[in-house]
Amino acid sequence: MSEYDVECSHGMHVVHDGPRQARPLLLIHGSGASSSTWSPVVPALADHHHVIRVDLPGCGQSPPAPSYDVPAQAGQVAALLDELGLRQVAVAGHSSGGYVATALAEQRPDLVGSLALISSGPSPDALLRQPLLLRILLAPPFGPLLWSRRSDALIRRGISTTAARPVDIPDDVVADVRGTTYRTMRTVLRWNTAYITERSVPERLAALEVPVLVIFGAADPRWEPSSAHRYDVVPNAQVELLPGVGHLPMFEAPRTTGELLLDFATTAADSPPMIPET
């Protein structure tokens, strides 16, 4: 695997890995994170796919955007895929990145060949009481005061509170998380909540004709793990619960997560198109 191209397109920092002639696989990160959060699984994925990672607007190395609502972000991703001339792309989203992936499939079904959602909470009522450190950092009165003063150690602690296993958070992930402002983070979270409040993710996916893989940590401290089975209403959805894993499967179980993504992307690409019921 070799990283061969980095660019900025449609207001997003974009990283390409693997051979460009291979089947495309788009990776979308979660709230306040960046493309670097996929690093543990990229080497295995890029041996078989043209892997495209984006920093969503206002995150990582991407500039701010006028709007952070989920459909608007999906529209920017669609414009990128159009520019690259790609169709029927395997798309994977982590956490709220799964919402952007879902909105992309809603807007442009021609672009999405399969959808993999990792730790993507289905609806607001599945959200658990968040770890104390995150509650302090993300809400007044302390959040606005502490956010810009976070040390590398505090950022690592904040990320690690969402894991169920010890994780090693690389320097580039810490640097990218630091680049997201408090205002952007709060705005992104608000729009994410609005998206899944308007209509749950399983309801949205059930209306689409796209293969779906759901990966959930059985010890996720952010979302009720059993809520993963709400995705059972999606026709032919594959739901995988990872024992002893929290909200960060890419860091906590990179080999298993990579294998699941590879197997699903290959199977979905080789399967005949889904035929709607009449």
Side-chain angles (χ1 to χ4, degrees):
M1 186 280 294
S2 61
E3 180 180 303
Y4 67 87
D5 193 13
V6 178
E7 62 185 4
C8 186
S9 180
H10 299 280
M12 296 181 297
H13 177 78
V14 184
V15 182
H16 299 265
D17 296 273
R20 191 172 283 249
Q21 69 273 18
R23 287 173 173 169
L25 171 58
L26 172 68
L27 304 178
I28 306 175
H29 64 81
S31 302
S34 73
S35 57
S36 60
T37 58
W38 293 98
S39 296
V41 298
V42 165
L45 299 178
D47 281 344
H48 304 273
H49 290 274
H50 167 202
V51 178
I52 306 153
R53 291 181 281 163
V54 297
D55 285 356
L56 293 173
C59 297
Q61 300 179 54
S62 291
S67 173
Y68 294 100
D69 93 300
V70 172
Q73 293 188 72
Q76 289 181 259
V77 175
L80 168 66
L81 295 179
D82 280 339
E83 182 181 87
L84 295 173
L86 299 176
R87 293 292 183 274
Q88 294 299 296
V89 176
V91 182
H94 173 244
S95 194
S96 63
Y99 307 156
V100 177
T102 300
L104 176 65
E106 289 178 312
Q107 291 178 17
R108 295 288 304 276
D110 59 311
L111 297 180
V112 180
S114 63
L115 273 178
L117 308 186
I118 303 175
S119 306
S120 298
S123 56
D125 61 331
L127 188 66
L128 299 173
R129 183 171 173 81
Q130 301 300 287
L132 177 61
L133 180 56
L134 293 186
R135 298 203 307 270
I136 292 173
L137 287 172
L138 291 172
F142 300 111
L145 299 174
L146 293 175
W147 192 264
S148 62
R149 297 174 174 83
R150 293 169 298 162
S151 65
D152 287 0
L154 186 60
I155 290 174
R156 283 190 166 89
R157 282 179 57 200
I159 296 172
S160 298
T161 60
T162 67
R165 299 178 179 179
V167 291
D168 180 23
I169 308 299
D171 292 342
D172 59 342
V173 173
V174 174
D176 285 345
V177 169
R178 183 182 298 284
T180 302
T181 67
Y182 179 79
R183 173 177 289 185
T184 295
M185 185 66 172
R186 290 279 296 181
T187 304
V188 167
L189 292 174
R190 184 169 66 250
W191 281 115
N192 289 340
T193 301
Y195 181 74
I196 62 175
T197 298
E198 178 185 52
R199 196 178 184 198
S200 75
V201 185
E203 287 181 284
R204 293 174 182 274
L205 293 176
L208 303 177
E209 297 160 19
V210 60
V212 174
L213 168 67
V214 174
I215 300 174
F216 229 93
D220 192 324
R222 295 203 64 220
W223 297 94
E224 171 54 52
S226 65
S227 70
H229 287 293
R230 298 186 191 179
Y231 289 95
D232 290 339
V233 301
V234 181
N236 300 314
Q238 175 185 342
V239 178
E240 299 285 347
L241 276 170
L242 306 185
V245 173
H247 193 65
L248 305 173
M250 298 94 71
F251 287 102
E252 299 176 72
R255 181 175 178 178
T256 300
T257 302
E259 289 174 349
L260 285 170
L261 289 175
L262 280 176
D263 290 347
F264 176 70
T266 300
T267 301
D270 292 339
S271 299
M274 296 179 66
I275 300 175
E277 295 182 2
T278 56

